[in-house]
Amino acid sequence: MKLTTSFEDKKCTITIEGSIDTLTARELEQAVNDAAPNCESMVLDMEKVDYISSGGLRVVVGANRTVGKGNLTLKNLAPNVLEIFRLTGFTKVLNIE
């Protein structure tokens, strides 16, 4: 997995490439925790994410709490990744574009 974090005013974007699985979820969690103090809102750009495990889902839900409910947006989800969010019901509690 490759992560790139960028900042624009008080909005940060973490671009994720690859799989978010048990081995890489902690890396994403650390990137969220490092960026969060400098952000009022956060975007996780998941255009190049091909898989997300339950560990990855846990990190995304945690990021929603860390940044503040309603201040996290997931963008550009591949259909198979979006389906995982639908099946778990997270599309009802997360901002997904």
Side-chain angles (χ1 to χ4, degrees):
M1 180 177 71
K2 179 181 174 188
L3 301 172
T4 306
T5 304
S6 60
F7 297 89
E8 184 178 319
D9 296 320
K10 289 289 186 176
K11 178 182 177 182
C12 59
T13 300
I14 300 175
T15 304
I16 309 162
E17 296 181 38
S19 296
I20 307 171
D21 56 26
T22 304
L23 298 175
T24 60
R26 285 185 175 241
E27 186 179 347
L28 176 57
E29 183 175 37
Q30 188 62 53
V32 167
N33 290 338
D34 289 348
N38 303 309
C39 305
E40 290 178 5
S41 65
M42 181 179 290
V43 172
L44 298 182
D45 186 341
M46 301 175 72
E47 182 176 11
K48 295 183 179 179
V49 172
D50 53 14
Y51 172 78
I52 187 165
S53 71
S54 59
L57 292 172
R58 180 192 59 77
V59 170
V60 171
V61 171
N64 194 46
R65 275 183 259 134
T66 299
V67 178
K69 195 171 184 180
N71 294 324
L72 177 72
T73 302
L74 309 180
K75 285 191 172 183
N76 303 318
L77 279 70
N80 63 314
V81 174
L82 180 57
E83 184 63 16
I84 293 168
F85 281 93
R86 279 193 189 119
L87 291 171
T88 57
F90 290 146
T91 55
K92 295 176 184 172
V93 295
L94 296 170
N95 296 329
I96 299 177
E97 296 180 1

